[in-house]
Amino acid sequence: MTDNLYRHDYADGSRLLLATVSYRLPDGTLIEGRGILPDKVLDIEWWRFPIENDPQVNVAIDLIAASRA
């Protein structure tokens, strides 16, 4: 992730600082305009589940655990 800060000064003396963020993959590739694809797609209505039983969260935790095994 990289942050860029842009400064805009106005005639009335006011100033606007605008921060933007760019996300990069580990190899440095920008994802802006490309997006990313999930490792696992679940066809569920996520809002129907409390966070402790959210299938998307549980699958993510399982994938992380499997990658460390």
Side-chain angles (χ1 to χ4, degrees):
M1 177 172 69
T2 58
D3 294 311
N4 297 305
L5 190 60
Y6 299 98
R7 178 177 159 171
H8 301 277
D9 295 316
Y10 295 94
D12 66 358
S14 61
R15 178 178 302 150
L16 172 69
L17 297 174
L18 177 64
T20 61
V21 177
S22 300
Y23 292 95
R24 295 180 181 271
L25 297 174
D27 68 1
T29 304
L30 280 173
I31 65 169
E32 186 172 339
R34 296 177 40 159
I36 55 173
L37 297 174
D39 294 330
K40 177 119 181 173
V41 177
L42 301 180
D43 187 21
I44 60 162
E45 296 174 334
W46 60 267
W47 61 88
R48 297 188 184 271
F49 300 90
I51 189 68
E52 62 273 7
N53 292 326
D54 184 330
Q56 295 178 113
V57 172
N58 292 333
V59 166
I61 291 169
D62 291 345
L63 287 171
I64 292 168
S67 74
R68 294 181 177 197

